[in-house]
Each structure stands twice: as structure tokens, then as C-alpha cells.
Amino acid sequence: MNNPAPLVELHDLTFGYGERVILDGITLSVPRGKVTALMGASGGGKTTVLRLIGGQYTAQSGSLTFDGQEVGQLDADGLYSIRRRMGMLYQFGALFTDLSVFDNVAFPLREHTNLNERLVRDIVLMKLEAVGLRGARDLMPSQISGGMARRVALARAIALDPELVMYDEPFAGLDPISLGTAARLIRQLNDSLELTTLLVSHDLDETFHIADQVIVLANGRIAAQGTPDEVRHSTDPLVRQFVTAAPEGPVQFHHPAPERRADFGLGGRS
């Protein structure tokens, strides 16, 4: 039996801001039904990849397809259509603070469908049940913990039954219990709802535990790509530094700067 085509494919894609290149001719694919993790040092272009997939940015060159459609060539209606097939969990949840838990999850249903309120209620309660928070439906975001807020945001991200769910640093700021719960939930929802997951994270242990594929971005290119075990045992110096959290290596702590003597006026003039 042939494997289905990847849901998302980037081929020789380049993107930057002005003269600053963020992604330099990268090629990668996001297989259907799997959890793919994008990792690497801060500023390496991971979140940029998510924005390119969602059509917020357009690549300068190369190709990016979602289910065979070239995202950069879609008009407004086309982008609207594919975005309905995507769910997004932003850093720290990004809940509407003046809406209840229930209304936060109901928001995309009310915004993008014509379902009556009875059906909206049933769907919202099912999604909250899936993340273990049906009992919190009447609470406000200020009344729940950070871990609970992240789960509410996840329920909102899957409200429209998307094919692709993208997570931007879903573990940031969570305590170990909430982090472990969130990681298991991402894996369980991916498998039970037959989703495709693209996960941006810096948390090595939890990410390696739930991911099927790990892609490490560095200096605008792909430094490593493979299973978590393959990436963990990579001999590439940059990947080794990232995996072992070593302070010394290709990624330097200090940003390039003039010599101290010149910067502080300690020499050069009498």
C-alpha cells in the first residue's frame, strides 16, 4: 500500500525580511497523521514556517503546498478555505480575556459556521470534554491556571475539526505536571482524531517523547531531520550542542560586536 502524499510540503523555499534571510532554500514535508516537531535555537525560523503555511507570509522563492495547493498563489477565498482546515494554538493560549471558557471555544464555530446554538453547545462541550475541562465551561480565563488555559486554547483549535493543528511553543511556562499533561494530550488527540500535527517547541524530553519526526532548523537551513532517536544521536556539531544544551559550540552566546577596547574607548587615542 502506497503512503499518502504529505499534507504540507516545502521545497527549496526561501524567505527573509529585507536582506536578512530567515529560511534559505529549505525542503521538508509534514506527513499525514503524524506528529512533526520543528526545533532549533531561537530565531531559527520555526514560527515563520507556521506563518508561511497559514498564508500570513509569502515565500520569496520556492514552493509551499497544503494538500497539493500552492499556498502563495491562493486568493483571499482560497486562503480562507484552507485556513478552515487548520487549527492553531498560539504561545500562552491567547484566549479572549472577556469571554468565558465556553465562549472562547465557541468563537470559531460562531464565526465560521451557521450552526444553531444547540449544535454549537454540543460541539463545545465535546471539545472541552476531550481536554478534560467540561466542568470549567463557565469560568473566565482569569479564573483558571496557565495549564488549563492552554487546554482551553487547544479545545478552541480543534473546534472546527481541522486536518492540521499547529502548535507554537505549547509547553512554554508550564509546570512539569501541566507540561506532561499537555504533551500527552497533543499525542492522544492527534491519534484519536486522526489529525496531522506540526509542533514548534524547545522542550526536548517531552517533544522527543511524542514526535514521530523531528526537524532541527539552524542558520536558515535544516541541520537534522529524522526520528527523535536519529536526531538525538546526530553527530552534527550544531545538533549535538542543541540536544545536549552545551554552552560552547557553533551557536555562540555573544552576538558579534566590536572589540571591547574600541567599544569602551580604551585605546586608539592619546
Side-chain angles (χ1 to χ4, degrees):
M1 182 177 179
N2 293 328
N3 292 326
L7 183 60
V8 177
E9 291 185 280
L10 282 67
H11 181 72
D12 199 21
L13 183 144
T14 296
F15 175 84
Y17 304 102
E19 296 182 356
R20 182 188 173 205
V21 177
I22 305 298
L23 301 170
D24 187 9
I26 68 169
T27 296
L28 63 86
S29 62
V30 180
R32 298 174 191 264
K34 304 294 185 181
V35 176
T36 295
L38 279 178
M39 309 192 78
S42 297
K46 303 179 295 298
T47 299
T48 298
V49 171
L50 303 187
R51 292 172 178 168
L52 285 162
I53 294 171
Q56 294 171 267
Y57 296 160
T58 301
Q60 272 92 32
S61 64
S63 171
L64 190 159
T65 59
F66 175 82
D67 197 19
Q69 300 180 79
E70 186 67 46
V71 175
Q73 296 178 3
L74 295 174
D75 59 16
D77 288 340
L79 278 177
Y80 182 84
S81 178
I82 68 165
R83 284 172 179 167
R84 288 192 59 184
R85 300 167 63 188
M86 303 174 184
M88 180 73 188
L89 191 146
Y90 301 94
Q91 284 192 44
F92 306 111
L95 297 180
F96 298 112
T97 56
D98 57 343
L99 297 181
S100 68
V101 164
F102 181 97
D103 288 331
N104 262 281
V105 180
F107 182 84
L109 294 164
R110 291 168 174 161
E111 185 74 14
H112 299 297
T113 75
N114 294 316
L115 298 174
N116 62 52
E117 279 300 308
R118 182 174 179 178
L119 278 174
V120 168
R121 179 182 183 277
D122 289 346
I123 293 171
V124 170
L125 293 181
M126 283 192 296
K127 302 306 180 184
L128 286 172
E129 177 73 17
V131 301
L133 291 176
R134 182 166 52 87
R137 61 184 179 271
D138 296 324
L139 298 179
M140 300 298 290
S142 61
Q143 297 174 302
I144 60 178
S145 69
M148 292 171 68
R150 213 69 60 88
R151 286 191 277 157
V152 174
L154 178 50
R156 183 178 63 186
I158 62 172
L160 292 172
D161 292 325
E163 296 168 54
L164 172 68
V165 181
M166 296 182 284
Y167 299 84
D168 193 1
E169 293 289 357
F171 309 135
L174 296 182
D175 63 81
I177 296 174
S178 296
L179 193 157
T181 299
R184 288 192 299 274
L185 189 55
I186 289 171
R187 181 78 246 185
Q188 290 166 3
L189 289 175
N190 183 87
D191 297 342
S192 62
L193 300 180
E194 298 182 340
L195 303 172
T196 298
T197 296
L198 183 56
L199 166 71
V200 168
S201 175
H202 288 112
D203 190 283
L204 285 168
D205 290 339
E206 292 296 343
T207 302
F208 277 35
H209 184 68
I210 66 171
D212 298 298
Q213 174 184 223
V214 176
I215 300 169
V216 180
L217 293 176
N219 302 321
R221 296 181 179 274
I222 294 176
Q225 183 171 353
T227 66
D229 191 59
E230 289 170 342
V231 172
R232 191 184 295 275
H233 293 94
S234 171
T235 58
D236 181 278
L238 191 149
V239 178
R240 292 300 305 157
Q241 184 186 9
F242 180 74
V243 169
T244 61
E248 300 296 332
V251 179
Q252 298 296 315
F253 174 72
H254 287 284
H255 190 77
E259 290 189 16
R260 290 187 183 90
R261 293 181 63 85
D263 238 6
F264 292 99
L266 299 177
R269 290 186 180 179
S270 58

